[in-house]
Amino acid sequence: MFTTRPTLQGTFGMVSSTHWLASQSAMAVLEDGGNAYDAAVAGAFVLHVVEPHLNGPAGEVPILLAPAGGEVRVLCGQGVAPAGATIEHYRGLGLDLVPGTGPLAAAVPGAFDAWMLLLRDHGTKSLADVLKYAIGYAEDGHACVENVGATVETVRELFETEWTTSADVYLPDGRSPRPGELFRNPALAATWQRLLAEVAGAGDREAQIEAAREVWRSGFIAEALVRQAGRPTMDTSGERHTGTLTAADLAAWSASYEAPATYDWNGWTLCKAGPWSQGPVLLQQLALLPPELPAYGSADYVHLLIEGCKLAMADREAWYGDADAVPLDDLLSAEYNAARRRLIDGKASHELRPGSPGGLAPRLCEHARVVAPAEPGFDPMGAGEPTVARLTADGGTRGDTCHLDVVDRWGNMIAATPSGGWLQSNPVVPELGFPLGTRLQMTWLEAGLPNSLAPGRRPRTTLTPSIALRDGVPVLAFGTPGGDQQDQWQLHFFLAVATRAKARGGLDLQGAIDAPNWHNDSFPGSFYPRGMRPGSVTVESRMDEAVVEELRRRGHDVTVGDAWSEGRLCAVARDPEAGILSAAANPRGMQGYAVGR
């Protein structure tokens, strides 16, 4: 079939990410003898520099890693709510929702420590070796993608009047970064250079990485982050607030490993982060599928996937979070999903219908059923990841997310979805060159829910990388930006890979990425202001017109978007029998690239 690009194939190493400079920097590490984990860390820090509207060092990242010959593990880089982040504190400020911007929305930053833990435990390169690419682009400059400047323009007035430290970085000479001109972030370069200088005498490679973790937790970086959290900052509530992050919060938290949530489907095993993420939504969508699927791309096929997604997302809202007891085994059981599947008929549901796993009664936040306003040209799904550089009706902005996959010649594989700490999330910390994140906006200010705001609890993240095994062997790493859409687009991609013809003797990764995609919003959005749009489906204009009309006949409220507007997938794969590695990247947005040889 025709694809926008070939599925790359080789034997040495493959990288796919949402920016070509990150992909090539990671590939340079592989060429220099590093493994997939060294490469991923280098690429991730480059993403902080070249996609600052999509992620930053004080954001968060879930990482799935499959070491050659080892077990798939989840490395959790999602920080927790600070000790002072109580529902009572926020309610006392007159808030019904956590703001979508500003320090009140900041969890303990998680991304940096997760990357350091990965480098220490699984990498081979020094900290200086992996940071040199990011330092170079921050100090010497890089040519910005168009969306960096477009994002800055949406918040120009805020930067000029309130977040002036951000204006110092992103409005040099009074104007936003322009495509084709070099953009520099000398404060960020200086931060990493000072970090390297401070840890240089700590000892060997691992000792230096440990010293860097301590600098982040309790050294000059921690001190600057806490000072920033204490500065009154205008946020989406229309008021200036200080945050709750303290030195004790930073010192007490570290990234951690855990077992993945898994589901077996037709000889494949899908691995995801647990229900503190939305990852099990992908697994439950698979569990909801009937034994025989309708023809790929048909109206029956699209309708089935949309309706299954609605049921899985309703269960996400009722049951997922960082609470102690999430009934995940019941949620993924054959009996439970057979009963849920019977709710799917030939008509589009406009209801939010969580189930009762194990006979438990579902409970939703009172705000969960709020319907977002229909406004031309405005996607009301929140102040977070779904749409890049869009100004919301309340003056907030949405960020987005990055993704990075690597597989090396030894068979090590990794999938990571860095996000948060966007340039439009919080003011730039002047001493550091990057802002705090806003992940607490995903929690509810109502007690007793799996995703209620609570000190020490992770906000339920939408970030959800994937690793798939075939007959028990890791063969595919993939993921996408897109907030609540991530596990919709990933399901569509995975089914296209798993059920359609192969390309050149391998998996048709590029064809699956390029295929017309879609998403629905019939559930509470994860981002401020948390609205839902019952029955809404957005499709690419490349979808068959007859399919679109049939979806409308069935009661779906279909919006036809641009031809290349749904999904930003990256993927790498490994054929253990043939010894072939492969990779592909999304053409949408004109910046994702795969490289390899």
Side-chain angles (χ1 to χ4, degrees):
M1 64 170 291
F2 170 79
T3 59
T4 57
R5 307 165 180 176
T7 294
L8 305 185
Q9 292 186 316
T11 57
F12 180 82
M14 291 284 163
V15 181
S16 180
S17 87
T18 47
H19 196 289
W20 61 84
L21 291 179
S23 294
Q24 189 53 46
S25 297
M27 192 68 203
V29 173
L30 294 181
E31 296 284 3
D32 194 42
N35 65 20
Y37 309 115
D38 298 311
V41 176
F45 278 86
V46 170
L47 286 173
H48 298 157
V49 179
V50 300
E51 294 191 323
H53 57 313
L54 309 181
N55 77 139
E60 47 276 325
V61 59
I63 301 169
L64 266 66
L65 58 150
E71 297 292 323
V72 176
R73 300 291 287 171
V74 176
L75 176 50
C76 176
Q78 174 57 65
V80 299
T86 64
I87 291 174
E88 293 74 23
H89 176 67
Y90 288 70
R91 290 288 190 178
L93 296 172
L95 299 171
D96 295 322
L97 293 171
V98 178
T101 60
L104 272 180
V108 177
F112 179 87
D113 196 62
W115 291 119
M116 291 301 99
L117 198 62
L118 178 71
L119 185 65
R120 185 197 73 181
D121 295 345
H122 298 278
T124 64
K125 292 291 188 179
S126 70
L127 184 57
D129 284 338
V130 297
L131 283 182
K132 65 183 180 182
Y133 305 93
I135 291 172
Y137 287 124
E139 184 172 39
D140 301 327
H142 67 283
C144 279
V145 295
E146 184 176 355
N147 274 333
V148 173
T151 302
V152 174
E153 279 300 309
T154 66
V155 286
R156 170 187 284 276
E157 182 178 355
L158 178 67
F159 281 12
E160 291 176 337
T161 60
E162 295 280 348
W163 297 9
T164 56
T165 58
S166 296
D168 292 341
V169 174
Y170 290 105
L171 291 170
D173 302 320
R175 60 184 179 86
S176 60
R178 296 181 180 179
E181 295 181 353
L182 286 180
F183 174 76
R184 297 174 175 86
N185 188 342
L188 179 58
T191 296
W192 299 144
Q193 288 166 334
R194 179 178 174 182
L195 176 70
L196 291 175
E198 290 197 7
V199 307
D204 62 11
R205 188 189 79 91
E206 292 187 11
Q208 290 186 17
I209 295 169
E210 278 301 296
R213 298 177 74 199
E214 287 306 309
V215 170
W216 181 273
R217 288 195 190 106
S218 59
F220 79 94
I221 294 177
E223 293 168 358
L225 292 173
V226 171
R227 278 195 298 272
Q228 184 63 44
R231 294 180 176 119
T233 301
M234 179 66 70
D235 60 37
T236 52
S237 72
E239 303 289 337
R240 295 180 185 90
H241 293 112
T242 56
T244 61
L245 184 69
T246 67
D249 295 317
L250 280 164
W253 186 84
S254 65
S256 59
Y257 295 98
E258 59 188 56
T262 63
Y263 186 77
D264 295 330
W265 183 83
N266 286 7
W268 295 82
T269 300
L270 271 291
C271 300
K272 302 289 284 186
W276 54 268
S277 77
Q278 74 172 2
V281 163
L282 176 59
L283 308 183
Q284 190 175 353
Q285 287 178 97
L286 289 171
L288 284 163
L289 295 176
E292 296 294 328
L293 292 178
Y296 177 87
S298 65
D300 286 341
Y301 179 88
V302 176
H303 174 79
L304 173 69
L305 268 55
I306 291 170
E307 295 304 300
C309 176
K310 292 175 185 177
L311 295 173
M313 285 296 198
D315 279 344
R316 181 195 75 166
E317 197 52 53
W319 300 108
Y320 291 18
D322 201 25
D324 291 335
V326 176
L328 191 58
D329 288 344
D330 288 318
L331 285 166
L332 297 179
S333 70
E335 181 181 17
Y336 176 75
N337 285 288
R340 296 285 276 160
R341 192 182 306 125
R342 287 193 287 272
L343 296 175
I344 301 175
D345 57 24
K347 293 294 184 180
S349 170
H350 289 221
E351 299 178 58
L352 187 65
R353 300 182 290 180
S356 301
L360 300 171
R363 181 182 167 194
L364 297 172
C365 178
E366 290 182 4
H367 192 85
R369 298 184 189 273
V370 169
V371 176
E375 183 179 337
F378 168 55
D379 177 356
M381 294 307 290
E385 293 156 1
T387 306
V388 179
R390 292 289 302 279
L391 191 65
T392 67
D394 59 14
T397 57
R398 302 174 184 80
D400 204 327
T401 304
C402 306
H403 189 79
L404 175 71
D405 301 309
V406 188
V407 60
D408 64 28
R409 62 190 185 275
W410 299 289
N412 300 302
M413 187 176 286
I414 183 169
T417 309
S419 188
W422 312 293
L423 66 87
Q424 64 275 32
S425 63
N426 260 295
V428 166
V429 184
E431 306 94 323
L432 303 178
F434 59 84
L436 288 163
T438 56
R439 194 60 54 170
L440 291 186
Q441 68 178 288
M442 317 200 115
T443 61
W444 293 117
L445 297 181
E446 182 179 325
L449 301 168
N451 194 33
S452 298
L453 177 66
R457 182 184 283 183
R458 291 170 288 190
R460 188 192 67 214
T461 181
T462 53
L463 308 174
T464 172
S466 302
I467 285 182
L469 287 63
R470 185 68 175 168
D471 299 322
V473 179
V475 296
L476 179 63
F478 60 100
T480 179
D484 296 305
Q485 286 92 309
Q486 289 183 29
D487 280 314
Q488 300 185 57
W489 293 333
Q490 289 186 70
L491 174 72
H492 310 159
F493 164 81
F494 172 72
L495 290 177
V497 168
T499 63
R500 299 172 73 193
K502 295 183 177 181
R504 291 192 297 169
L507 299 174
D508 184 14
L509 302 183
Q510 194 64 52
I513 289 173
D514 288 355
N517 217 323
W518 67 92
H519 80 273
N520 87 90
D521 299 317
S522 294
F523 49 85
S526 294
F527 297 91
Y528 181 92
R530 312 298 301 272
M532 63 181 288
R533 298 166 60 194
S536 170
V537 176
T538 302
V539 306
E540 291 181 326
S541 61
R542 295 180 296 126
M543 182 175 282
D544 189 321
E545 291 183 9
V547 171
V548 172
E549 289 308 310
E550 176 61 18
L551 292 174
R552 287 175 171 152
R553 191 190 67 79
R554 296 185 186 198
H556 296 280
D557 181 9
V558 181
T559 297
V560 178
D562 293 339
W564 297 91
S565 56
E566 291 285 314
R568 289 176 59 208
L569 282 141
C570 299
V572 299
R574 171 176 173 262
D575 184 335
E577 294 182 1
I580 299 294
L581 310 178
S582 56
N586 172 53
R588 301 164 180 87
M590 302 294 286
Q591 65 191 65
Y593 267 88
V595 295
R597 71 171 179 89

